Structure formats: structure tokens, C-alpha cells
Amino acid sequence: MSKTRSKIKLCIVAFLTIIGLLLTFTSFVIPNTNTTFNGFFNAINFGYDINGGRLAIYEVDSTGLTDDEVIQKLNQTVSHYNKYFSNDGFVFSRHGNTLRVEVSKFDDSDMSNLFALTGSTNDIFDFFGASQGISINTSSSDSNAEGSITSEYVVSCTLGGSLVGQDGDVYPVTINLTSEGQKLLKEMTENLLSSSSTSSSTSNLYLYLNGQNYNSSGFEISSPISTLTLYATSSTGAKALACQVNALAKSINLNQVFEGSITSGLNTSAGVLFGNAKTMLSIIMGILLVATFVFLLVRYRMLGLLACMSILVFICVYTFLLQSIPLVLLDVNGLIGVLMVYALLVCGMIGIFEKIRAEYRSGKKIPNSVMTGFRKNLLTILEKYVFLLILSAVLFILGGASVKSFAICLFVGLFVNYFVLFVVLRGTSYSYTVVNSIKKSLYNLKREVVTSAK
């Protein structure tokens, strides 16, 4: 391998690492769309016990439903809620025929403030267990009017970017319907258009959320139509409306049977100091990373620099997997699993580098020392990881909910660790030995001094 090719490979890895970090921690609006990318870290499901919060349990009204139908509809509801509320810190899970809702106290406070700014006295938990759902009809006084489009026909509610209106910016809120709901809406709008053409009065559509008339002004009507779009005068009002619609867009009725506060599993004063769990964890992990980087750079120099870059790759890949695997819930036990995985990664790097130093002291050249250091640690680390993988699988099968969180974080992290150690770090180290194979000072390598006997 030529020095030029090695340098190009190292530059490519560094460039991809920077892109990965941007995707992991930054938020941005995707060009030519109204969609915001919030970063992998923000998409991780954080458990309520990271810094305390609220817990509510809802029981399914199974009237007229078989047991299989109850489970199917409840699973659909859990999936729907996790899709639209996970970014706001809510975590939903099914336990038998009940729905469990968890949220940290900081995320719950944010949601309460959002509703308060719109003048609403309701709580988002009220909408999850609301006795009445969504109704869209032509009556301004009857939410149960004949021909209404009800909750079962509502798929979701999505937000759009701000638009320029006659009286300033407006924020579109789109209610998406099933195919049957679209047919009902088409018939309803056609009837309205027909009645408007034969009378001087203007007919409108009305939206009811949990029996309350959301607004008495009409929507823009066209025929045929597959969605309803409302225009809020503020981004706060638009998000509050979308949250309410998504909370009520369920195919089953839920009755709240428990609601209470959850004690923090982390230091409460620390959570208050930093603002919320994600900020606190970011600062703590940042301090831990800086300490690790300083140690690696001082003791191993260029190999330490390659190790630091490999750790950044680990963060990107591991964070992506944590937010993309539905089973992952980063509560206190999951956080312990993450820290254990990180400790194993750093210990693995140190073990490899110390073996490289030992091989060089025994008389081998730098490239051979690096190759031998990785080769002699490959099987040793593999044996440890296989044992830990088996242990995590057993804990996941036999353990409770909190133990499962630790087990899945450990299980996933072990695969990422091995990939980082023996693909990323080994590959970059081999490439760098091609660029520099003789300057031992850049590796902080030393030979044993042999003194002759007098």
C-alpha cells in the first residue's frame, strides 16, 4: 500500500467521522422540505427514571372486541404514540391489556408550558384517556352529528413550515385520513359545496377534540380532498393542536387507572442544575471523553489520536443503533450498560496499545509491532465479548424491564466495540504505519536499554 493511498484512506475516515458527528448531534431543516432532522442523539428514548417524571397507566375498553383485536389495536396505538411523541420525551409500552406512559419531569413540563401558552387548561395525559375522540362534521353545535369523521378514520396530524398569510405568517397543520375517511370527507365537502351554491349562507366544517369545538371558522374546502389543513397563527398553537389530534387518533378507548409521579434515579440536584437529562448526560460524557482523549494522546501519541477518532466513530454508530432499535429504552440501567460498553472499548484499546509497546521493546519494527498487537488481542477480546453476549442474552430473557434495558444496551454495544477495535482502529493504524514506519517518537515507543556487564 502506497503512502498516498494510506493518506487518502485516513482522510476519508476522518471526513466520514465528521459527517457522522453532525448527523448525531445537530438539527437542521432538510433542503427543499418542511422536515427537520433532529439528530440521532435527540431521537433516543430516555426512560422516566433518568431524572424523575410522571407515569400513567390506561386500561383498554374491550367492549365488542375479541382478545386478539384488543392486543392488535393496542399494539397499533403504542406504535402510533411512540412515533409521534418520542421526540417529546414520552415512552409508551404495552403491558398485557394496558398502556403504560412514561415521561421525564422536564419533558412533561415543556408539554404543559406548550399547552398553557395556547390558553388550554388540559393536560396531554387527559387526551390519551379522553372519553371522546375526534369528530369532523358540518354541525357547529353537535360533535356527534350524523356522518362525522371520527378518530378511527384519522391516521395522524403533521406540521408544516411557516407560510406567509394575509395577516402575517401562518402555520399549516394537516390531518391525514384513512382511505375510508377520505371518501367520507369528499362526500361531506361535496354536500357543503352543493348547499352553499343554493343558499346565501356559507357552510363550514368543524373540528371537535374530546367534545370541544376547536374553532368555528371553516376550513378551505375543495373537492375531492384527502386531507384537512388548518392554519394556526403561531408555531406553538400549531404544535399543541397536532399533539392533541395525535393523542386522540386511536382506534380504541382508553380509561386511565393510575397516574403518579416517579422518583428520580439520578441525582435530582444535578438534573435541575443542567436543565434536563440529555443536557446533563451530554456534559458528563463530554468530560469523560476529554479525560480519555488526553490520556490516550499523552501516552500513545499518534496511535492515541487514531483511537480518539475511533471512539468518535463508536459514538456515531452506537447512538444511531440506540435510537433505531425499538427495544432500546435508555433509563438508568441502560445508561449503566452504555458506560460499561464504553469502558470495555477504552480498556480494549489500552490492551492493544500496551501489547504494541511490548512487541516493540522486544525488538520488532513498528509495522510488525502494530500488526502483532492487534493479532494477539483479537482472540482474547473475542472470547470476553462472546461470554458477555451470552450473559446479556440470558439477562434479557430472564430479567425484568429494567434489566432488559441494561442487557440490550450491552448486547448492541459489544458488536459496535468489536467493529471499532478490529475494523476502524486496526485499519487506520495499519494505514498510518505505511505513512510513518520509523519515527518511534510519534508512537511514544521505546526500546529496552541493554547495558553490558563490566
Side-chain angles (χ1 to χ4, degrees):
M1 185 187 297
S2 67
K3 289 186 177 181
T4 302
R5 289 181 61 189
S6 296
K7 290 179 180 178
I8 292 174
K9 286 186 176 181
L10 290 172
C11 290
I12 290 174
V13 173
F15 175 75
L16 293 177
T17 302
I18 294 172
I19 296 298
L21 290 172
L22 292 174
L23 293 175
T24 301
F25 294 106
T26 61
S27 300
F28 56 87
V29 178
I30 300 176
N32 301 321
T33 69
N34 293 322
T35 304
T36 300
F37 179 82
N38 290 318
F40 302 141
F41 180 74
N42 292 324
I44 294 176
N45 290 325
F46 283 86
Y48 64 88
D49 64 349
I50 287 292
N51 51 10
R54 288 175 69 187
L55 165 68
I57 298 177
Y58 299 87
E59 194 176 60
V60 176
D61 181 0
S62 58
T63 305
L65 299 174
T66 65
D67 291 341
D68 290 340
E69 289 174 334
V70 168
I71 294 175
Q72 179 186 6
K73 289 181 179 294
L74 188 53
N75 284 334
Q76 291 173 349
T77 302
V78 169
S79 177
H80 168 77
Y81 280 166
N82 277 321
K83 179 178 180 180
Y84 290 101
F85 290 97
S86 60
N87 286 338
D88 294 309
F90 288 78
V91 178
F92 302 85
S93 57
R94 181 178 70 85
H95 291 254
N97 288 349
T98 63
L99 171 69
R100 181 185 179 98
V101 186
E102 303 162 357
V103 63
S104 76
K105 64 182 179 182
F106 295 108
D107 292 317
D108 181 50
S109 177
D110 290 342
M111 185 64 73
S112 298
N113 291 335
L114 172 72
F115 276 48
L117 288 173
T118 63
S120 173
T121 57
N122 289 310
D123 185 274
I124 187 64
F125 281 76
D126 296 334
F127 289 95
F128 295 140
S131 57
Q132 300 184 61
I134 302 169
S135 177
I136 303 168
N137 57 45
T138 59
S139 172
S140 61
S141 59
D142 184 7
S143 62
N144 297 314
E146 186 177 351
S148 297
I149 298 174
T150 54
S151 303
E152 61 183 304
Y153 299 115
V154 178
V155 177
S156 64
C157 189
T158 54
L159 298 174
S162 62
L163 301 174
V164 179
Q166 294 181 349
D167 300 321
D169 288 354
V170 292
Y171 299 83
V173 183
T174 301
I175 300 176
N176 306 295
L177 306 174
T178 63
S179 57
E180 184 64 30
Q182 293 173 17
K183 293 178 182 178
L184 292 173
L185 183 59
K186 179 181 177 181
E187 295 173 0
M188 193 180 296
T189 53
E190 286 176 342
N191 292 334
L192 286 176
L193 289 171
S194 176
S195 62
S196 296
S197 63
T198 58
S199 65
S200 57
S201 61
T202 303
S203 299
N204 296 322
L205 287 176
Y206 297 91
L207 172 66
Y208 293 86
L209 300 180
N210 195 25
Q212 300 296 314
N213 190 349
Y214 184 79
N215 71 339
S216 57
S217 59
F219 302 114
E220 181 180 347
I221 301 173
S222 61
S223 181
I225 188 169
S226 60
T227 60
L228 279 177
T229 301
L230 297 85
Y231 296 95
T233 56
S234 69
S235 59
T236 302
K239 183 175 181 180
L241 171 61
C243 287
Q244 294 175 32
V245 173
N246 282 321
L248 294 170
K250 56 185 187 293
S251 56
I252 53 176
N253 293 323
L254 299 171
N255 302 315
Q256 189 179 92
V257 294
F258 175 82
E259 191 275 322
S261 299
I262 302 300
T263 304
S264 168
L266 294 182
N267 187 297
T268 305
S269 60
V272 173
L273 175 64
F274 292 120
N276 59 55
K278 292 180 182 179
T279 303
M280 180 175 66
L281 291 178
S282 298
I283 293 175
I284 292 173
M285 292 302 295
I287 295 173
L288 185 61
L289 283 175
V290 169
T292 303
F293 287 3
V294 170
F295 171 79
L296 291 173
L297 291 171
V298 170
R299 183 161 179 80
Y300 305 111
R301 297 187 185 174
M302 286 307 301
L303 286 177
L305 179 61
L306 297 176
C308 293
M309 184 168 64
S310 299
I311 289 175
L312 296 178
V313 173
F314 161 80
I315 292 173
C316 296
V317 176
Y318 195 30
T319 304
F320 171 77
L321 292 175
L322 288 179
Q323 63 86 34
S324 61
I325 299 176
L327 292 174
V328 172
L329 171 64
L330 196 57
D331 56 9
V332 171
N333 294 282
L335 180 60
I336 293 172
V338 170
L339 293 176
M340 182 174 176
V341 167
Y342 179 75
L344 288 170
L345 175 66
V346 175
C347 289
M349 290 178 172
I350 293 174
I352 291 171
F353 292 159
E354 289 300 323
K355 189 62 180 177
I356 292 172
R357 291 164 68 91
E359 293 295 321
Y360 183 78
R361 284 196 302 269
S362 68
K364 290 185 179 181
K365 294 181 180 180
I366 291 176
N368 290 335
S369 299
V370 172
M371 288 178 133
T372 304
F374 280 98
R375 179 171 54 82
K376 289 190 174 181
N377 277 278
L378 190 150
L379 187 58
T380 302
I381 294 177
L382 179 61
E383 289 173 345
K384 294 178 182 177
Y385 281 17
V386 168
F387 172 76
L388 290 173
L389 284 171
I390 295 173
L391 177 62
S392 60
V394 172
L395 290 175
F396 183 82
I397 294 172
L398 301 179
S402 59
V403 177
K404 288 181 186 293
S405 178
F406 168 81
I408 192 65
C409 288
L410 177 61
F411 188 87
V412 174
L414 291 172
F415 283 102
V416 179
N417 272 10
Y418 207 77
F419 167 78
V420 169
L421 287 174
F422 294 103
V423 176
V424 180
L425 182 58
R426 183 172 64 173
T428 54
S429 298
Y430 286 2
S431 295
Y432 186 74
T433 57
V434 175
V435 176
N436 170 43
S437 60
I438 57 175
K439 294 182 180 179
K440 63 180 182 179
S441 61
L442 292 177
Y443 298 90
N444 198 22
L445 298 174
K446 297 178 181 179
R447 291 272 167 88
E448 292 181 352
V449 178
V450 180
T451 57
S452 57
K454 293 183 178 181

